[in-house]
Amino acid sequence: MEVIRLQYPNEFKVNEDEQIAVALGFFDGLHIGHQEVINTMIEIAEKKGLKKSVLTFDPHPSVVLSQKQQRTTYITPLPVKEKMLEEYGIDYLFVVNFSSEFAQLSPDTFVKDYLIGSNVKEVIAGFDFSYGYMGKGSVATLEQYSEFNITSIVQKEDDGEKISTTRIRELLSEDKLEEANRLLGRSYSIEGFVVQGEKRGRTIGFPTANIEPSYKYFLPSLGVYAVTLTIGSDPTVYKGVASIGVKPTFHENHKVTIEVHIIDYDRTIYGETVTVYWEHFIRHELKFDGLDALIEAIQEDKDKAIELLKDK
């Protein structure tokens, strides 16, 4: 997959001999609704002998367009999104820098400079895709162009509610991890590297790996989770119990950290890259009255995690 980063004004031109099918969207999370858009694009492209492509944006448009609700953390940060799209067999990933200048483009200019100018013959987008200044462009306006065909993907719902990145972020914040994973079509994951911590866990019999996320991830709610994880390029899946929190038993107003106790594992892995898969929510973060209460709770969390992960 070739990643092509586009600025405004767009000066990129594809090979004149190549005709392209493109899926349009921000695609944070690549949830099951996004997957339908991309799989439809792939099906059309293969049927018509077109190059398969995705056009997305970076950063999230809210960074430019909204003062109050800027989205600066992601379910799938751009490098993760790139890896996932490559697994689809995409030929081109177009990443458009969503800048203040780009946000001022008329819908027609966007279409002519970024779609028609790139020899796009098939456009696939969700029913609510918008583009151009003030979001005035829509699927309906795309249908007015004769240079390409437009395929609109109808709203995908779960229990009568639209499947969306916003909904999944809400679920992750509300301790509804299993539901979020169902809408994602996979377990939510965070990639990071293992850093030195306070090493308090090993003194109470539960050594932990302190995980520094590699990118600006949206974090699930503070609490304790049953997780699986992989280490480096080793495909072995390990089981663990993880906490996201501020360690209130020991600190006040401390920064949020991610710690994972890997079950039946005793190697030192500082500096290793790990991917943590968030499988089940166990409980909220609590402040305990002393070490004995904390140790008892951690053992209960570990036992619960083993039970929840028995089929993993």
Side-chain angles (χ1 to χ4, degrees):
M1 180 181 75
E2 183 177 356
V3 179
I4 301 167
R5 303 186 186 280
L6 304 179
Q7 306 286 331
Y8 174 77
N10 180 27
E11 299 178 354
F12 174 78
K13 300 295 180 184
V14 299
N15 188 316
E16 291 184 359
D17 296 331
E18 292 185 338
Q19 296 184 336
I20 290 176
V22 65
L24 301 177
F26 191 76
F27 299 122
D28 183 27
L30 284 173
H31 56 63
I32 57 179
H34 295 151
Q35 293 167 29
E36 185 167 345
V37 175
I38 294 169
N39 285 329
T40 300
M41 178 276 295
I42 292 172
E43 181 180 346
I44 292 173
E46 292 180 345
K47 182 178 180 180
K48 297 191 174 184
L50 307 176
K51 290 289 185 178
K52 301 182 287 289
S53 73
V54 170
L55 187 148
T56 190
F57 308 93
D58 182 61
H60 191 273
S62 65
V63 172
V64 173
L65 302 177
S66 174
Q67 290 184 333
K68 295 182 179 180
Q69 295 182 324
Q70 296 185 18
R71 186 179 293 181
T72 57
T73 60
Y74 304 103
I75 297 174
T76 49
L78 182 58
V80 177
K81 193 188 306 183
E82 291 177 6
K83 293 177 187 177
M84 294 178 67
L85 288 171
E86 188 163 22
E87 293 176 358
Y88 279 85
I90 304 298
D91 296 302
Y92 297 119
L93 172 60
F94 299 104
V95 182
V96 180
N97 175 229
F98 201 101
S99 64
S100 296
E101 280 191 311
F102 178 79
Q104 298 298 312
L105 284 189
S106 70
D108 185 61
T109 300
F110 170 77
V111 170
K112 289 179 177 177
D113 287 2
Y114 291 85
L115 299 181
I116 296 173
S118 296
N119 212 16
V120 169
K121 299 302 178 183
E122 297 284 342
V123 174
I124 298 86
F127 74 101
D128 57 352
F129 177 75
S130 62
Y131 62 96
Y133 179 65
M134 300 291 288
K136 292 181 178 179
S138 66
V139 169
T141 59
L142 287 172
E143 291 173 344
Q144 299 172 9
Y145 293 88
S146 60
E147 288 87 350
F148 52 78
N149 298 315
I150 173 72
T151 300
S152 173
I153 305 302
V154 299
Q155 177 171 301
K156 195 170 183 64
E157 297 183 349
D158 179 76
D159 290 335
E161 190 167 356
K162 176 187 172 184
I163 296 173
S164 68
T165 301
T166 299
R167 176 60 181 150
I168 293 169
R169 288 166 68 99
E170 290 173 352
L171 292 170
L172 291 171
S173 296
E174 296 169 356
D175 316 325
K176 298 177 181 177
L177 180 60
E178 290 87 348
E179 188 175 346
N181 287 344
R182 180 163 53 80
L183 301 187
L184 284 170
R186 64 186 186 281
S187 297
Y188 185 45
S189 63
I190 291 177
E191 181 182 315
F193 51 95
V194 181
V195 298
Q196 293 273 1
E198 297 172 345
K199 301 182 181 178
R200 186 177 284 110
R202 68 181 62 252
T203 68
I204 60 175
F206 298 96
T208 60
N210 290 264
I211 312 300
E212 183 71 29
S214 299
Y215 312 109
K216 291 185 176 181
Y217 283 97
F218 181 82
L219 295 182
S221 59
L222 303 189
V224 178
Y225 295 81
V227 301
T228 56
L229 72 158
T230 56
I231 302 171
S233 59
D234 183 354
T236 303
V237 176
Y238 299 94
K239 300 177 182 181
V241 56
S243 69
I244 303 176
V246 297
K247 296 183 275 192
T249 303
F250 303 104
H251 301 288
E252 294 292 340
N253 301 318
H254 199 269
K255 74 171 186 176
V256 174
T257 60
I258 300 174
E259 295 183 87
V260 181
H261 171 66
I262 309 174
I263 297 169
D264 297 327
Y265 190 85
D266 60 3
R267 282 180 51 209
T268 299
I269 53 173
Y270 294 129
E272 293 276 12
T273 298
V274 300
T275 303
V276 180
Y277 299 89
W278 304 84
E279 309 288 0
H280 301 280
F281 175 80
I282 295 177
R283 64 168 173 86
H284 294 111
E285 183 175 47
L286 299 172
K287 183 175 182 177
F288 295 95
D289 185 17
L291 276 180
D292 289 342
L294 174 62
I295 291 170
E296 182 179 352
I298 294 175
Q299 184 61 58
E300 291 176 357
D301 295 337
K302 180 177 178 179
D303 293 342
K304 183 67 172 178
I306 291 171
E307 174 63 23
L308 289 169
L309 298 171
K310 63 184 179 181
D311 294 328
K312 292 291 183 179

